[in-house]
């Protein structure tokens, strides 16, 4: 089955710790995205990537980092610089641009211990 | 900056009643997309509208794109408990079509 796999489903971060969220897709999509979802605030774009080894900051990139070493993979690291990391993180992909529909992973709920 | 606003924020209906959510953009959109997110789930693409005045139907769901391509609506006829969730609209950023501007969503609750 083609799709996007996010792991883990739940993640806890201690103060001062970096954590990495995994996102893998087998849809052969070029574009991948990371969104943060907070209650009542909709979806906010953290980073996006259109091709391997290239990525762009979204609207709320501070405190986050990404890499795109393979077409299928787009991991997100939440660094200790992100002071309010508790949120639901969604990875998505599309064929090329946001003018096509987005396919979302099942999300990772990150909480701070 | 460019904004997409959705109303209402919440809607509670009795099963069988109709439901409508409205999406208004501060700028003209090249297209608009609608997604549904079930409680505890992830957004799932419903439809994309591209043409001015376009109307598309999916069973009990009717989607409209305004003539000026700045507003859109989703209407559900005779709601069912399976319609529960949050409905989001999203349109491309005018300055960078690789980014979507999302509405805050309308959360629908259906009483059986």
């Amino acid at each position: 089955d083609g799709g996007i796999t996010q792991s883990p489903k739940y993640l806890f971060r201690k103060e001062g710790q970096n954590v990495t969220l995994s996102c893998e897709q087998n849809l052969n999509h070029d574009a991948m995205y990371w969104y943060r979802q907070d209650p009542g605030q909709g979806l906010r774009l953290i980073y996006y990537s259109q091709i391997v080894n290239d990525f762009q900051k979204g609207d709320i990139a501070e405190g986050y980092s990404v890499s795109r070493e393979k077409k299928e993979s787009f991991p997100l690291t939440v660094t200790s610089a992100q002071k309010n990391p508790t949120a639901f993180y969604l990875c998505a992909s599309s064929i090329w641009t946001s003018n096509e529909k987005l396919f979302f992973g099942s999300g990772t709920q990150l909480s701070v211990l | 900056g460019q904004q997409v606003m959705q109303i209402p924020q919440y809607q509670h209906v009795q099963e069988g009643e109709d439901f409508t959510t409205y999406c208004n953009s501060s700028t003209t959109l090249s297209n608009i997309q609608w997604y549904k997110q079930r409680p505890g789930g992830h957004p799932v693409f419903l439809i994309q509208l591209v043409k001015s005045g376009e109307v598309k139907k999916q069973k009990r769901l009717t989607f409209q794109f305004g003539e000026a391509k700045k507003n859109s609506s989703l209407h559900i006829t005779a709601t069912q408990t399976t319609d529960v969730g949050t409905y989001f609209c999203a349109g491309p950023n005018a300055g960078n079509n690789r980014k979507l501007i999302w509405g805050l969503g309308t959360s629908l609750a259906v009483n059986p």
Side-chain angles (χ1 to χ4, degrees):
Chain A
D1 260 350
I4 301 180
T5 302
Q6 284 188 245
S7 62
K9 190 171 177 65
Y10 300 97
L11 187 58
F12 296 91
R13 192 192 91 167
K14 295 180 182 177
E15 196 170 333
Q17 186 182 40
N18 294 351
V19 292
T20 297
L21 284 60
S22 170
C23 178
E24 303 277 332
Q25 56 102 354
N26 60 5
L27 299 168
N28 199 33
H29 285 172
D30 286 299
M32 296 187 75
Y33 311 82
W34 273 105
Y35 285 95
R36 170 177 171 144
Q37 187 174 35
D38 296 275
Q41 292 201 37
L43 277 71
R44 293 186 290 169
L45 183 64
I46 305 172
Y47 269 97
Y48 63 101
S49 167
Q50 292 222 253
I51 55 173
V52 173
N53 293 322
D54 185 57
F55 46 83
Q56 307 295 327
K57 291 182 179 180
D59 302 314
I60 55 165
E62 186 173 348
Y64 301 97
S65 66
V66 293
S67 62
R68 186 89 186 272
E69 296 177 2
K70 299 185 299 182
K71 186 175 183 178
E72 316 82 64
S73 179
F74 191 41
L76 172 74
T77 296
V78 184
T79 74
S80 57
Q82 174 47 248
K83 298 305 179 188
N84 183 23
T86 297
F88 189 49
Y89 290 86
L90 288 159
C91 179
S93 72
S94 65
I95 295 173
W96 177 236
T97 73
S98 287
N99 280 316
E100 297 108 18
K101 63 183 180 180
L102 297 183
F103 292 79
F104 284 87
S106 56
T108 294
Q109 176 64 51
L110 176 62
S111 303
V112 176
L113 285 176
Chain B
Q2 185 180 356
Q3 288 186 315
V4 171
M5 291 151 286
Q6 266 186 272
I7 54 170
Q9 189 175 2
Y10 303 100
Q11 184 84 56
H12 231 117
V13 299
Q14 285 295 129
E15 190 171 20
E17 291 181 340
D18 291 356
F19 159 77
T20 303
T21 174
Y22 300 91
C23 183
N24 295 293
S25 171
S26 58
T27 62
T28 301
L29 299 170
S30 60
N31 69 80
I32 194 159
Q33 300 175 28
W34 285 91
Y35 292 79
K36 176 184 178 182
Q37 184 175 23
R38 294 182 188 273
H42 57 277
V44 174
F45 175 83
L46 293 176
I47 207 160
Q48 181 182 57
L49 304 172
V50 179
K51 299 177 183 176
S52 169
E54 189 170 14
V55 178
K56 286 189 176 180
K57 291 191 175 185
Q58 290 179 351
K59 297 183 180 178
R60 295 179 293 104
L61 278 60
T62 302
F63 302 85
Q64 291 189 320
F65 200 12
E67 294 290 340
K69 300 182 76 173
K70 293 182 71 174
N71 54 70
S72 181
S73 65
L74 158 58
H75 179 83
I76 302 178
T77 303
T79 53
Q80 299 176 358
T81 54
T82 53
D83 296 324
V84 166
T86 301
Y87 294 85
F88 292 97
C89 62
N93 183 303
N96 178 354
N97 69 359
R98 293 169 180 80
K99 298 166 64 174
L100 280 176
I101 307 294
W102 291 79
L104 296 185
T106 296
S107 292
L108 173 64
V110 179
N111 291 334

